Amino acid sequence: MTSRDEIADLSNLWMPFTANRQFKAAPRLLESAKGMYYQATGGRQVLDGAAGLWCVNAGHARDEIVAAIQQSVATLDYAPPFQMAHPRAFEAASKVAAIMPTGLDRIFFTNSGSEAVDTALKIALAYHRARGQGERTRLIGRERGYHGVGFGGISVGGIVSNRKAFSGALLPHVDHLPHTHDLEKNAFSRGQPAYGEHLADELERIVALHDAATIAAVIVEPVAGSTGVLIPPRGYLQRLREICTKHGILLIFDEVITGFGRLGRATASEFFGVKPDLLTMAKAINNAAVPMGAVAVERRVHDTIVDSGAPGAIEFFHGYTYSGHPLAVSAACAALDLYKREGLFERAEALSPFFENAAHALRDAPYVKDVRNCGLIAGIELEARDGAPGARAYEAFVKCFELGLLIRYTGDTLAFSPPLIISEAQITQVFDTVRQVLKTIA
Ligand SMILES: Cc1ncc(COP(=O)(O)O)c(C=O)c1O
């Protein structure tokens, strides 16, 4: 097995979303993974408190998924998805559709969450055009939103560092709702915070400013993950839904993180009881074993586009060489079967109270200014170090890794999203390790 010493040169790989120089001076390398654990170089076991990157919901290297991919590559390595298809792609679409909110049963495959987002935005524009409202071109995102890294996604996204270098080329006609994070009112909330439903009414202000007839869609993460775990205030998503419906605006839920059991249900839509018109997903759709994403589309939206063109004409000029790639969809079929067979969404729901208590027990740990949680997601926000935002959380992340625990951090928030197979003892280990680390950092 390759070890750090055997890698001749780290310089060729330009690493994504990484402080390349800092990392290469002291790399953290993972060599293999099974179940709840990674194995780092030197044979060190690392408990996965992040499901990789919010994505390995069934735990690592599950036999059924590995076998499905192996069989798939040996049988049909690749099939073109334009004007051709293969049976597994239809099977995977049916399996995904079966657990989506009622009516969102038309599934478009992509290779990532970013592509799912850009695809959803394009579907929204195409839908309005097909129904004779082509002037609806405005897209509404939210401050602090993360919707991947395509130009569509960063335009509706609201993470400043992801936008500023590219600000000259963002999409026009985009506006943003305010974010919902308010520690003065909501610090240490368990589950949905009580304060903030009214922030959805900002959409009415945006509608009044631009006129509803110019707005195509609103996109939000039901629970924002990558920006530091922001849980929607009670009533907020319902209110957004009402306002969108009132003005004929499509509502897109970006469920790249929340889909497939993260909140104890198949989707956050199901968990919160709010139905969007489009739903983007990726990551755990196939337990992250092969790059894959998808958009679930309300049948009415799909039919409006697909029935609008002349018979024999391509209805939607969009797609990827690897849409519905045989390996990806085979992994998805196996993963979705596995989630069901092992009752992993229900398991996540059952574990949530224990996880919540374990996270909130860190309330009195050094530097902790907030703990927030929903399902099997938790965020612990730390006081920023003077003049060095993010530095304390980074140090905590590195020290956790050295002590055999993988977590995420973003800004000064530590983020937790373990595989849904985690045990109570392992949950305790996760938060005990973090407490220990917080006691040792400055
Ligand atoms: C809500 C959300 N949307 C989109 C994406 C982008 O997904 P990908 O990295 O697969 O392009 C992410 C990734 O974390 C995400 O959290």
Side-chain angles (χ1 to χ4, degrees), residues 54 112-115 117 146-149 221 226 254 256-257 282-283:
W54 322 83
S112 66
S114 300
E115 290 177 357
V117 166
Y146 183 65
H147 301 293
V149 292
E221 301 153 272
S226 300
D254 186 348
V256 166
I257 281 177
K283 296 189 188 271

Side-chain angles (χ1 to χ4, degrees), residues 227-292:
T227 190
V229 182
L230 310 184
I231 318 293
R234 277 181 230 145
Y236 174 88
L237 294 172
Q238 285 79 355
R239 189 83 194 104
L240 272 190
R241 174 69 273 179
E242 283 162 20
I243 300 171
C244 285
T245 303
K246 177 173 148 198
H247 295 293
I249 299 167
L250 294 176
L251 178 61
I252 306 170
F253 275 179
D254 186 348
E255 295 227 27
V256 166
I257 281 177
T258 51
F260 307 101
R262 180 56 50 204
L263 304 184
R265 297 294 167 93
T267 59
S269 163
E270 184 185 333
F271 181 82
F272 292 117
V274 179
K275 203 169 83 170
D277 303 292
L278 295 99
L279 188 155
T280 55
M281 66 200 104
K283 296 189 188 271
I285 186 171
N286 62 5
N287 210 36
V290 182
M292 183 175 180

Side-chain angles (χ1 to χ4, degrees), residues 4 10 15 18-29 41 44 394 397-398 401-402:
R4 157 83 181 93
L10 301 184
M15 296 174 64
T18 296
N20 274 253
R21 287 162 297 175
Q22 183 186 50
F23 182 93
K24 289 172 187 178
R28 294 173 292 279
L29 301 181
T41 42
R44 228 159 40 79
Y394 170 74
F397 154 76
V398 171
F401 183 70
E402 286 165 0

Side-chain angles (χ1 to χ4, degrees), residues 37 45-48 354 358 400 403-405 422-436:
Y37 290 91
Q45 292 278 98
V46 178
L47 179 64
D48 186 359
F354 186 90
C400 282
L403 289 179
L405 171 67
I422 193 168
S423 68
E424 290 189 354
Q426 288 163 335
I427 292 174
T428 303
Q429 185 188 339
V430 167
F431 292 105
D432 281 356
T433 305
V434 174
R435 179 183 285 280
Q436 191 185 338

